[in-house]
Amino acid sequence: MLLAEAAARDEAAARDLLSGVAALAPGDPIRIVLRAGTVTGNAWQEFIDHEPHRNAEQYYIRIPDVAALLDRLRPLFWQRLTTAGIDRTGRDIVISTFGAHYRIPVLANGLGEVVTGGPIQSPGAVEGSGVAPDHLAALLLGPHGVEGLTRIRPDVYSADEELFQVLFPPLTADVLSYYLPY
């Protein structure tokens, strides 16, 4: 039995759901797909006796206007920075897609508008992050975050690991398709 894409309102409901599924096939193993950061994922973690699903689950997403997307994400980035207690006031956050780069000024009360610039081949020299344009969506929205992408993609890296791990954590994608990739 495979239990995937499960949803529950709270941890008690998630446990009830798991108990109900287990009752359908007493004694049979249940393969559970945990989605990190979800109610069910958190509630069922203690009941799992196998490694979580580790296959890459990425969809190719083309970002037609990187600056516009980063600009829309500024409030989220600011929230992540303040929650983590990172103060970079007066220093820019630099993200390079190698053919262009994007600077986000860090002000005392938030992040300034994104400024687009030309190529930066070594964003580490300005404490920035480099990401090939084909991997930008995975960095912003994917399940690996900057730390995981750095392990599997040589053209994704960050000079300030702590900063970019806060800005680009692993996220569970909510792209549902006609099949379960498990």
Side-chain angles (χ1 to χ4, degrees):
M1 183 175 296
L2 172 66
L3 182 54
E5 304 299 337
R9 180 180 305 247
D10 55 40
E11 288 197 15
R15 286 190 175 97
D16 287 346
L17 174 62
L18 185 57
S19 295
V21 169
L24 292 174
D28 289 343
I30 301 171
R31 238 178 61 185
I32 298 173
V33 178
L34 287 183
R35 294 187 69 186
T38 64
V39 173
T40 53
N42 294 338
W44 296 347
Q45 186 65 48
E46 66 185 277
F47 303 111
I48 304 301
D49 64 356
H50 62 274
E51 282 293 311
H53 182 65
R54 298 258 186 240
N55 291 345
E57 296 171 4
Q58 297 178 14
Y59 292 87
Y60 184 79
I61 300 171
R62 188 174 308 270
I63 300 173
D65 188 340
V66 174
L69 177 59
L70 292 174
D71 202 53
R72 296 292 293 233
L73 292 173
R74 283 185 303 139
L76 176 63
F77 293 155
W78 178 249
Q79 183 226 358
R80 288 176 180 168
L81 285 175
T82 56
T83 300
I86 295 177
D87 182 7
R88 287 187 53 99
T89 303
R91 298 187 313 184
D92 293 347
I93 297 167
V94 178
I95 302 163
S96 172
T97 55
F98 304 114
H101 76 278
Y102 307 90
R103 290 182 179 272
I104 306 172
V106 181
L107 310 172
N109 59 347
L111 299 179
E113 287 188 31
V114 175
V115 178
T116 303
I120 292 184
Q121 295 301 316
S122 298
V126 292
E127 296 182 356
S129 183
V131 56
D134 289 351
H135 305 307
L136 184 59
L139 177 70
L140 297 172
L141 307 169
H144 300 292
V146 72
E147 186 176 6
L149 281 177
T150 301
R151 281 194 312 269
I152 63 175
R153 302 283 185 211
D155 49 3
V156 177
Y157 64 92
S158 301
D160 185 337
E161 291 180 14
E162 179 188 17
L163 170 67
F164 289 101
Q165 285 174 7
V166 165
L167 290 176
F168 308 124
L171 299 174
T172 300
D174 286 325
V175 178
L176 297 178
S177 62
Y178 294 106
Y179 67 96
L180 294 174
Y182 314 108

